[in-house]
Amino acid sequence: MKHSDYDADRLILVCNDDGIFAPGIRALAEVAKEFGQVEIIAPDRQQSAVGHSITVSDPLRVTPFQINSKMEGQAVNGTPADCVKLAHDKLMKKKPDLVLSGINHGSNAGINIIYSGTVSAATEATILGYPAIAVSCTEFSESADLSGAQEAIRRTVRYILRNGLPAGITLNVNAPAGPLKGMKWARQANSRYVEEFEGRIDPHNKPYFWITGRLEILDKGDDLDLNVIKQGYATITPIQYDLTAHKFYENQKDDLE
Ligand code: MN
């Protein structure tokens, strides 16, 4: 039985940064299938926190990814942004109508947005002209209940189908684990990591460092993504890859001499 939102002519590209084997991408593809045909093209391994990096010095190879000899998708030995670029240029039977990235295992709220491979897959899709959504579950565990994130992405896809999405805008969705309590528009909390590294000593008596740390909010407001999530709600944040500081730019009158 097909969902009432289903359109057989609609093609949806699904990507992620946790790798094609991650439970989150499966959960996302399940929801995508309610809306149309789905192609999964994703990294062949864990690529979290690679940001928007692309592969320039090595060839990209594509391997069919099968489960029980059933075609599940295409695994790429590259980054999330590589996957979307290659999908767009070479790998898809036709251009997608929508690109979904996730469901990431771990929050992509606050400053995490800038490090996120999940968000970058969606941003790359936006650059290429496709409506795109990144979706993350704020709980890191791969056994977390993703039903709330699934409902959040369902609502976000419906929002785009109803309203469209202006060029240059990507939607970034974060949902707590468990059933969806509700979903609110929120802005990216200005935040940064503190106490970032743990220093230890290796068996050869040499020091090494391992990134850890805790997120500090440098911002106030009920509408911050990190605060809305703390209240148990899913968030939707419109983001953009145009990094120009427009207000500052507009205030610059004189050429430099
Ligand atoms: Mn990840």
Side-chain angles (χ1 to χ4, degrees):
M1 200 175 75
K2 291 296 182 193
H3 203 269
S4 61
D5 292 314
Y6 185 81
D7 180 345
D9 293 330
R10 185 181 294 132
L11 182 60
I12 301 169
L13 169 62
V14 170
C15 187
N16 77 344
D17 77 356
D18 295 323
I20 201 159
F21 52 82
I25 198 168
R26 229 147 276 288
L28 179 55
E30 261 176 47
V31 176
K33 283 174 188 163
E34 296 169 10
F35 292 90
Q37 293 187 62
V38 174
E39 284 195 41
I40 300 177
I41 298 172
D44 64 0
R45 69 200 75 181
Q46 176 55 250
Q47 291 278 354
S48 288
V50 301
H52 211 106
S53 70
I54 54 170
T55 303
V56 292
S57 302
D58 292 296
L60 290 174
R61 296 190 194 275
V62 182
T63 313
F65 182 75
Q66 297 180 326
I67 292 177
N68 300 329
S69 69
K70 192 170 155 267
M71 175 70 173
E72 284 288 318
Q74 300 181 74
V76 178
N77 65 335
T79 67
D82 284 334
C83 290
V84 172
K85 289 167 83 69
L86 195 56
H88 155 80
D89 194 45
K90 290 282 184 281
L91 300 183
M92 298 190 76
K93 55 188 171 192
K94 61 173 183 135
K95 301 297 183 198
D97 299 290
L98 180 66
V99 179
L100 306 178
S101 179
I103 298 170
N104 189 58
H105 298 283
S107 167
N108 278 314
I111 197 62
N112 291 313
I113 290 175
I114 208 166
Y115 305 116
S116 169
T118 303
V119 173
S120 284
T123 306
E124 183 60 42
T126 305
I127 293 168
L128 294 170
Y130 304 116
I133 308 166
V135 56
S136 306
C137 175
T138 59
E139 194 171 309
F140 191 72
S141 164
E142 288 206 346
S143 59
D145 175 356
L146 300 178
S147 61
Q150 285 182 303
E151 178 56 20
I153 195 74
R154 203 174 273 126
R155 290 186 189 184
T156 310
V157 171
R158 286 196 194 116
Y159 170 87
I160 289 183
L161 295 180
R162 268 201 310 272
N163 303 291
L165 194 61
I169 306 277
T170 310
L171 295 178
N172 183 40
V173 171
N174 282 280
L180 188 69
K181 177 175 168 184
M183 192 170 181
K184 296 177 189 287
W185 290 95
R187 64 190 173 90
Q188 178 186 349
N190 185 19
S191 51
R192 68 179 166 208
Y193 279 93
V194 292
E195 296 157 15
E196 275 216 275
F197 291 91
E198 250 186 64
R200 297 183 189 173
I201 303 294
D202 76 11
H204 306 289
N205 227 17
K206 293 207 164 82
Y208 67 94
F209 301 92
W210 204 304
I211 195 159
T212 160
R214 112 189 120 71
L215 201 53
E216 180 182 65
I217 304 179
L218 304 162
D219 209 343
K220 282 196 167 54
D222 295 335
D223 60 344
L224 303 179
D225 52 5
L226 290 168
N227 288 342
V228 173
I229 290 161
K230 272 185 203 159
Q231 290 160 8
Y233 295 97
T235 56
I236 175 170
T237 303
I239 60 173
Q240 58 192 11
Y241 60 81
D242 173 4
L243 298 179
T244 306
H246 284 280
K247 275 188 196 158
F248 184 91
Y249 171 72
E250 280 154 22
N251 288 331
Q252 306 314 307
K253 305 285 180 228
D254 303 321
D255 291 339
L256 301 195
E257 284 172 22

